[in-house]
Amino acid sequence: MGQTTSLSHLAPYVRKSYHKYIEEVKRESELTGIDYTEQQIKDIAWSRTRTEVKDGVQTIQYQIQTLATSNGQSPFVSLFMYLNEDEEYIEEMALIVEEVLKQRIQGVKNEQGVWISPAFPKLLYVLDENNVPKDSKYRYLTDLAIKCVAKRLVPDFISAKKMKEHYDGEVFPCMGCRSFLGLWRNEQGEYQWYGRQNLGVVTVSLPDIGLSAGGDIDKFWDIFEQRLALCKEALLLRVDLLRGASTQISPIHWQHGAISRLSKDETIDSVIDSGACSISLGYIGVYDCVKALIGESHTSERGEKLAIEIMNFMRNHVDQWKKETGLGFGLYGSPSESLTYRVATKLRSKFGLIEGLTDKDYVTNSYHVNVCEEIDAFSKMEFEAQFQKISSGGCISYIEIPHCTHNHKALSAVVDYIYENMQYCEINTKSDYCQVCAFDGELQITDELTWLCPNCGNTDMSKMNVVRRTCGYLGENFWNKGRTQEIKERVLHLE
């Protein structure tokens, strides 16, 4: 699932460093006999602070790059960049954000010493009234973010304007790639976002329900009701399996403040029962479900109406579960990085080969427009925005663009649109490198779902650096057959 930290937590320490350098320069002035003016002292101190921030950001980036989980993956770490999170330290925060973006634009070196795009840390950039308007004070940071996304696929964009509409005026990061927490107040009556976690996800296969109904809408809702009851049972089982767990299973989380400060002799039950933890009903294949029921895309007039009904049906259920149990149930657009292939193969095994539904090795993620459907970027974002506010436990949308390092004007228009309309959106481009011929651009996927350098014909994946958006996170370790086919078939929304 991943974890997220806010860069604003570092901003007070930047100020401490600045004040330290102020005193340091004053001492140097006394030792050398150079009578610096107050402004010169401040300028020298700020210059040294910038250098320290640069070194610190590089350390963070390389620490994340060189750590590995038990299965050899990089830690799924996201860095949240919200200038207004602590307005007292906004200048220090701006300095940190600027440096993070500059270093991501540069990239990290591969085995050949060539700068490439890393998958982590994931960057979450918040668009707000002080960095989106062209004449705003921090628009230069948004322009830097646009330059960064054109070259390195990050940052993702969160609109403070839309999030405040959905979350009672609050702005906060998602956990990992899309899991958003529900509103929850701590014992002091304040909304709390950090130190919370998700207890797990159970994903419902909407295409299976649609195909099982055989075109009978009444039967569809009956089957849907049964499947959601099964999902609720499975989710409660997840919670029950955690009950009674000792805080000693992970002291850093449960005893030392990452989540709670319980004693060694306690269980984690009090945290679970507080409602602070989210637990998610995931869903996959709204498009495929609608297609199975009425033979149309959910972007058609009839399809859109049915898709919204399906989303609201799930949302009403999780809201009711939350009310009944006090647990933090939410509706979650599952990333389905590998699940998409499993669901697709199960559908084909159960229902046979159906053109346009089970004749591919993937299922369309969450509420997304089908990857093959021709639609422009702004129409796609407008259509998908209506589903984001329903998907309370997490959502994400994206637009697909070509390798695009020079058309920043078009990307600027996209980012401005995201601010006005989308809670959370990504811009997908291509950032690949062939280690055989040094080609830097877009490597291709063949009809056999293998990778090919268009410049030299290299097909050895051990001699390539490929970065693509899987479905939220960036991936660089290649994918299963279903996800690779889905990536290959994505159409461009901006050319």
Side-chain angles (χ1 to χ4, degrees):
M1 183 68 84
Q3 52 277 319
T4 301
T5 187
S6 175
L7 290 176
S8 70
H9 299 158
L10 301 176
Y13 300 99
V14 174
R15 182 171 296 182
K16 284 180 178 291
S17 291
Y18 173 65
H19 289 155
K20 177 189 71 175
Y21 288 126
I22 289 282
E23 297 304 315
E24 186 179 275
V25 175
K26 286 180 179 179
R27 288 194 300 271
E28 291 173 6
S29 176
E30 293 174 359
L31 289 171
T32 60
I34 300 174
D35 189 17
Y36 293 126
T37 66
E38 284 297 316
Q39 188 58 50
Q40 286 175 323
I41 291 172
K42 291 178 180 178
D43 290 344
I44 295 171
W46 189 247
S47 175
R48 293 180 185 180
T49 302
R50 291 187 70 97
T51 299
E52 183 176 300
V53 169
K54 180 179 179 180
D55 293 342
V57 168
Q58 185 182 69
T59 298
I60 292 171
Q61 177 166 270
Y62 276 92
Q63 282 179 333
I64 293 172
Q65 289 297 314
T66 53
L67 289 172
T69 61
S70 58
N71 65 355
Q73 291 182 309
S74 295
F76 285 18
V77 174
S78 300
L79 302 179
F80 185 55
M81 301 184 289
Y82 179 32
L83 291 175
N84 290 350
E85 187 165 12
D86 188 344
E87 293 185 15
E88 180 183 352
Y89 296 98
I90 194 168
E91 290 301 323
E92 289 84 358
M93 182 60 178
L95 177 60
I96 298 170
V97 170
E98 180 181 3
E99 189 57 44
V100 168
L101 291 171
K102 284 181 176 179
Q103 292 200 27
R104 181 53 68 91
I105 290 170
Q106 183 182 48
V108 299
K109 289 185 178 181
N110 66 4
E111 296 91 334
Q112 284 70 42
V114 176
W115 298 99
I116 62 168
S117 300
F120 293 100
K122 186 180 177 77
L123 305 181
L124 308 173
Y125 184 86
V126 178
L127 302 168
D128 210 345
E129 57 189 5
N130 63 354
N131 64 4
V132 173
K134 295 297 186 286
D135 59 349
S136 57
K137 182 176 181 180
Y138 299 104
R139 176 67 196 200
Y140 74 94
L141 289 176
T142 302
D143 291 338
L144 194 61
I146 290 167
K147 182 180 178 181
C148 187
V149 79
K151 188 172 181 63
R152 302 298 183 196
L153 288 81
V154 293
D156 298 351
F157 296 98
I158 292 175
S159 168
K161 179 177 182 178
K162 299 308 292 184
M163 179 170 272
K164 287 176 182 177
E165 293 176 9
H166 299 166
Y167 290 95
D168 196 23
E170 294 285 305
V171 179
F172 60 95
C174 55
M175 296 185 290
C177 73
R178 74 184 66 196
S179 181
F180 282 94
L181 294 159
L183 294 169
W184 181 80
R185 295 182 187 271
N186 57 27
E187 293 178 353
Q188 290 72 44
E190 301 171 339
Y191 284 126
Q192 180 180 324
W193 305 111
Y194 298 108
R196 294 174 61 191
Q197 65 289 316
N198 189 280
L199 298 177
V201 181
V202 171
T203 297
V204 60
S205 172
L206 297 176
D208 188 287
I209 304 173
L211 288 168
S212 297
D216 185 331
I217 296 294
D218 291 333
K219 186 178 180 181
F220 167 75
W221 295 115
D222 288 340
I223 298 171
F224 205 172
E225 186 73 47
Q226 296 168 20
R227 298 288 174 84
L228 290 184
L230 184 62
C231 288
K232 179 186 178 184
E233 184 179 345
L235 286 166
L236 290 175
L237 177 61
R238 279 182 174 271
V239 175
D240 288 342
L241 289 171
L242 289 169
R243 292 189 190 281
S246 168
T247 61
Q248 297 194 65
I249 60 172
S250 183
I252 193 172
H253 286 103
W254 306 106
Q255 296 174 18
H256 304 318
I259 294 174
S260 62
R261 293 191 181 277
L262 301 173
S263 72
K264 295 179 180 179
D265 300 324
E266 291 184 86
T267 69
I268 66 173
D269 292 15
S270 61
V271 178
I272 294 173
D273 293 332
S274 70
C277 310
S278 64
I279 183 163
S280 305
L281 171 68
Y283 61 94
I284 184 174
V286 173
Y287 160 84
D288 308 83
C289 181
V290 171
K291 181 86 169 176
L293 286 169
I294 64 173
E296 298 177 15
S297 167
H298 68 328
T299 55
S300 72
E301 186 176 348
R302 282 205 310 154
E304 182 178 0
K305 182 175 181 293
L306 179 56
I308 293 172
E309 288 177 356
I310 289 169
M311 290 288 294
N312 281 325
F313 191 76
M314 292 187 289
R315 173 64 183 271
N316 290 338
H317 276 72
V318 297
D319 286 350
Q320 183 60 34
W321 299 345
K322 184 175 183 177
K323 194 179 204 181
E324 290 172 359
T325 65
L327 299 173
F329 281 102
L331 182 61
Y332 177 70
S334 297
S336 306
E337 280 95 346
S338 58
L339 178 65
T340 186
Y341 180 53
R342 178 173 173 78
V343 170
T345 54
K346 289 294 183 182
L347 290 174
R348 188 158 54 245
S349 173
K350 184 175 180 180
F351 299 102
L353 194 64
I354 304 173
E355 185 177 354
L357 283 170
T358 65
D359 56 349
K360 55 188 184 299
D361 288 322
Y362 64 89
V363 171
T364 303
N365 269 64
S366 62
Y367 55 74
H368 291 172
V369 174
N370 182 265
V371 296
C372 301
E373 190 167 326
E374 297 289 343
I375 186 171
D376 70 86
F378 300 98
S379 297
K380 186 177 191 291
M381 289 189 287
E382 180 184 15
F383 175 76
E384 293 186 354
Q386 63 188 321
F387 299 103
Q388 291 200 342
K389 62 184 177 182
I390 303 173
S391 200
S392 57
C395 60
I396 200 166
S397 292
Y398 74 89
I399 63 165
E400 199 78 22
I401 67 173
H403 188 60
C404 181
T405 55
H406 303 295
N407 193 2
H408 293 170
K409 184 177 180 180
L411 293 183
S412 180
V414 169
V415 168
D416 291 349
Y417 189 89
I418 292 171
Y419 172 63
E420 296 291 343
N421 298 278
M422 304 292 290
Q423 176 177 306
Y424 187 26
C425 194
E426 302 169 323
I427 299 173
N428 294 352
T429 184
K430 287 80 179 171
S431 183
D432 306 327
Y433 180 78
C434 176
Q435 298 176 16
V436 174
C437 68
F439 173 76
D440 182 8
E442 178 182 352
L443 299 184
Q444 298 175 351
I445 305 175
T446 69
D447 292 338
E448 292 75 32
L449 302 182
T450 59
W451 291 82
L452 170 73
C453 173
N455 186 55
C456 72
N458 173 34
T459 58
D460 185 348
M461 293 192 297
S462 68
K463 297 180 180 178
M464 299 175 180
N465 295 105
V466 174
V467 175
R468 289 288 190 281
R469 182 85 58 189
T470 304
C471 195
Y473 284 124
L474 298 183
E476 56 184 353
N477 296 320
F478 298 101
W479 302 264
N480 65 32
K481 182 180 178 184
R483 182 57 68 190
T484 303
Q485 183 183 14
E486 187 265 348
I487 292 171
K488 174 179 171 58
E489 295 185 358
R490 293 176 184 175
V491 299
L492 297 177
H493 305 121
L494 188 71
E495 298 189 45

